[in-house]
Amino acid sequence: MRFPTFLKSLLLGVPVGVTLLDCVGYVARVEGVSMQPALNPDASVTDYVFLSRWAVRNMDVQRGDIISLISPKDPSQKIIKRVVALQGDVISTLGYKLPYVTVPEGHCWVEGDHTGNSLDSNTFGPVSLGLVTARATQIVWPPSRWQQLPSFVPKTRVPIAIGKRATTGNSRAANNHNVSNSSGNSSPTLVHPIEEVHRLN
C-alpha cells in the first residue's frame, strides 16, 4: 500500500513543483562581473538569487529593477541586468551606435552595474519586454550575503528625459532614482536556476 501512496504523492507533487517554478520563481546562480558591486562583489563570492516570475507576470518592469532576460545576442543564454530606462525615456548611451536613444514602446534599456564590463543595451540596443523572464528580488546564498535587492538607477545613468507610461495598477515604488556607486570590459552576467543551474550573466 505504501508504494501506490508514494506514486500518488509523486504524481501530484511533480506538476505542483513545475507550476511553482513556472509561475512563482526559482533560485539561480549568478556568474560574471557585470553586476558588481550589487552581485558577485568579488572573485571569492558567487551569489545565488531568487528570481520571481510572478513579479513580471504582467510585464510590470520598473526603472532600477534587476531582471533576468533571454539574451538578444544568444537566445540559449539568460542574462541578468538592471533596467535603466523604460519606453518613451531618452537615455544617453555608452558606446552604442547612437549617442541618445528614445526607448521604443514595449521595450526597456538594460545595463550592468559594472560599467564597461557588461554586455548590455549599449551593445544590442533596447530590449523587448517579451524577453524578460523574472525579477531578482533577494540574494539567498551565501548566508553572509542574505539581503533584499533594492530597485534603483545609478545617479550617472538616470534617463535625461522620462517618458509617459501607462500605469499597470501596481503601486510598487516605481521609477526609483537612488544613487549607486557603480564603477565602470565586456562579460555577460549569467543566471542558472538551481534545478538546471541557470546562469545569469
Side-chain angles (χ1 to χ4, degrees):
M1 286 293 183
R2 287 182 182 177
F3 189 64
T5 302
F6 170 75
L7 278 179
K8 273 186 192 176
S9 300
L10 186 63
L11 290 172
L12 288 172
V14 169
V16 170
V18 169
T19 301
L20 283 172
L21 288 171
D22 196 47
C23 298
V24 178
Y26 57 91
V27 174
R29 184 177 74 238
V30 178
E31 293 187 351
V33 300
S34 72
M35 284 301 296
Q36 288 180 345
L39 299 172
N40 293 355
D42 60 65
S44 66
V45 176
T46 298
D47 287 332
Y48 288 75
V49 296
F50 180 73
L51 295 174
S52 172
R53 293 186 189 274
W54 188 256
V56 298
R57 66 193 183 282
N58 297 321
M59 289 196 256
D60 179 32
V61 174
Q62 306 293 343
R63 298 177 192 89
D65 286 353
I66 297 176
I67 59 168
S68 166
L69 64 149
I70 297 168
S71 171
K73 300 287 282 185
D74 180 1
S76 68
Q77 185 181 77
K78 285 184 182 173
I79 60 176
I80 187 165
K81 303 295 172 189
R82 191 181 298 278
V83 177
V84 172
L86 299 171
Q87 63 182 36
D89 293 352
V90 179
I91 187 79
S92 61
T93 66
L94 301 171
Y96 189 57
K97 58 187 177 182
L98 300 170
Y100 301 98
V101 169
T102 300
V103 180
E105 185 176 354
H107 289 67
C108 62
W109 186 271
V110 299
E111 295 182 355
D113 286 358
H114 196 175
T115 306
N117 287 275
S118 174
L119 206 58
D120 52 32
S121 285
N122 289 295
T123 299
F124 46 69
V127 173
S128 169
L129 292 176
L131 296 178
V132 177
T133 60
R135 178 162 64 90
T137 56
Q138 292 99 10
I139 298 174
V140 298
W141 194 262
S144 61
R145 295 271 300 145
W146 284 348
Q147 61 185 282
Q148 296 281 334
L149 289 170
S151 293
F152 63 84
V153 177
K155 183 173 66 172
T156 58
R157 299 305 298 142
V158 172
I160 59 176
I162 302 296
K164 293 181 180 177
R165 183 168 182 247
T167 58
T168 60
N170 189 327
S171 59
R172 189 161 62 85
N175 311 333
N176 284 328
H177 291 162
N178 297 338
V179 178
S180 161
N181 292 324
S182 300
S183 56
N185 286 330
S186 288
S187 69
T189 298
L190 300 174
V191 183
H192 302 279
I194 284 191
E195 73 282 358
E196 303 173 8
V197 192
H198 287 321
R199 297 180 186 179
L200 297 170
N201 288 309

